[in-house]
Amino acid sequence: MSLPQHPAIPEVLTYPQGESVPALAERVLIVPGVYWLRMPLPFALDHINLWLLRDCLDGVHGWTVVDTGLDTPTTRQAWETLFANALDGLPILRIVVTHMHPDHIGLADWLIERWSLPTRPVRLWISATDWLAARAASQQSSGHWGQAAADFLGSHGLVDAEKQAWIRAKAGYYSELVARVPPTYRRLMAGHTLRIGAHTWHLIAGHGHAPEHMALYCADAGLMISGDMVLPRISTNVSVTDAEPEGNPLQLYLDSLHAMRHLPDQTWVLPSHGRPFRGLQGRITQLLQHHADRFADLRQSLVAAPTAEGLSAADLLPVLFQRPLDAHQTLFAMGEAIAHLHALWHSGELHRQQDAAGTWRFSRAQTAVEDRALR
């Protein structure tokens, strides 16, 4: 999932499809054999883009679906309409999932059950790490929701009783949004290629937003299905969670963006949220600058901290998010705030200690060395 952030500078990006977006249960042509779908989400971020690719697998003509939407009655009904009107009488042959978040994998198992035959099973194609993470998330509440998440965010200063109660009440939330994580899969790995119909897609791993996110890049068509790694008008959510409480996911994410620097700027990016766009390298520059600006804001606030013991992530939410946040947004905002602080802490620029109440507080290290990778 992603938290709305600062919009892109308009002149950097162009939108080949203009302002138009697919209606529910409608397919929109991108290039021959590649179609754009859109499904609703019940959040402030109210949609996800999915991709329908013409395919031929083991001699059978049909479709590959990239990402699935949440398990909701509305999304299931939209898919049923697509089955009747948008598949040209051909079957779905495989499900490719960029990463394990519920809006991407939610209906994978339902689609697999719907289209599998005894002689032709439909498989989930996903990275091994994200398949394992999805299986774990479907069986426990660690990672974002429930008591463990509430305790973890409480240790970073989130003491608001109403928001704490909301997070605790969400134990098992992942399994509410995901029909079932398929028990078998085909592994996607960075550097490998995937032949889908007439096109060869190169797999690009991204880290930080999800454990092992896979973007798909097709050089001959000039396309990249970016998942959540590069979005046009919001910054990807990168959070520290209770499952990895000392994690440094933001540095992983920044490194992943740098690893895409070799791709052409005019690549037509097909993102999971927002409209397809061109201007990949300009957008990567914006995202790197966005995080550099947030690091600068944190440095300034920590220098001006009223006490020597420093500030907590909750103290710094107004610095990073200058607008009201509901409970759902606060959960992700806290994860992002901790991720920014941990990047500076892991680089040696910040010192971290617990106060008498058990709250983690961050302050400038006496011999701070600012890591250029964070700028």
Side-chain angles (χ1 to χ4, degrees), residues 22 152 205:
F152 173 68

Side-chain angles (χ1 to χ4, degrees), residues 89-112:
L90 298 173
I92 290 174
L93 301 175
R94 57 181 157 187
I95 311 297
V96 173
V97 168
T98 57
H99 61 294
M100 51 78 66
H101 291 160
D103 49 333
H104 297 261
I105 201 174
L107 278 177
D109 191 71
W110 179 77
L111 289 167
I112 287 167

Side-chain angles (χ1 to χ4, degrees), residues 74-283:
T74 300
T75 308
R76 288 192 183 211
Q77 184 54 56
W79 271 116
E80 292 288 357
T81 303
L82 287 163
F83 298 159
N85 301 328
L87 300 188
D88 303 330
L90 298 173
I92 290 174
L93 301 175
R94 57 181 157 187
I95 311 297
V96 173
V97 168
T98 57
H99 61 294
M100 51 78 66
H101 291 160
D103 49 333
H104 297 261
I105 201 174
L107 278 177
D109 191 71
W110 179 77
L111 289 167
I112 287 167
E113 290 291 325
R114 175 69 169 75
W115 287 99
S116 286
L117 298 175
T119 57
R120 193 184 69 240
V122 175
R123 291 284 184 232
L124 168 68
W125 296 60
I126 188 173
S127 71
T129 312
D130 271 56
W131 179 76
L132 290 167
R135 296 279 289 179
S138 68
Q139 298 169 28
Q140 60 191 31
S141 63
S142 66
H144 260 317
W145 320 100
Q147 186 64 54
D151 291 345
F152 173 68
L153 296 181
S155 75
H156 283 275
L158 184 66
V159 296
D160 181 280
E162 183 178 347
K163 292 175 179 177
Q164 276 280 326
W166 185 89
I167 296 168
R168 286 196 300 273
K170 290 295 182 179
Y173 191 47
Y174 187 94
S175 59
E176 294 174 17
L177 302 175
V178 178
R180 186 178 76 135
V181 177
T184 59
Y185 74 107
R186 289 282 295 268
R187 186 175 184 180
L188 300 180
M189 294 182 67
H192 287 198
T193 59
L194 195 59
R195 185 73 180 181
I196 302 177
H199 300 297
T200 297
W201 299 83
H202 296 263
L203 301 175
I204 302 173
H207 306 281
H209 175 67
E212 192 183 4
H213 182 294
M214 286 293 165
L216 288 75
Y217 172 67
C218 180
D220 60 341
L223 298 176
M224 182 171 72
I225 297 175
S226 66
D228 281 350
M229 288 301 293
V230 183
L231 304 174
R233 299 196 64 83
I234 59 177
S235 65
T236 299
N237 178 261
V238 179
S239 287
V240 178
T241 72
D242 60 280
E244 190 182 358
E246 289 81 42
N248 189 13
L250 186 51
Q251 187 61 61
L252 295 176
Y253 177 72
L254 298 176
D255 292 344
S256 298
L257 291 180
H258 283 293
M260 293 183 181
R261 281 303 207 183
H262 69 286
L263 299 176
D265 185 52
Q266 286 306 300
T267 298
W268 195 352
V269 181
L270 310 183
S272 290
H273 309 285
R275 291 174 289 144
F277 68 93
R278 285 196 171 100
L280 171 62
Q281 295 305 325
R283 184 57 180 146

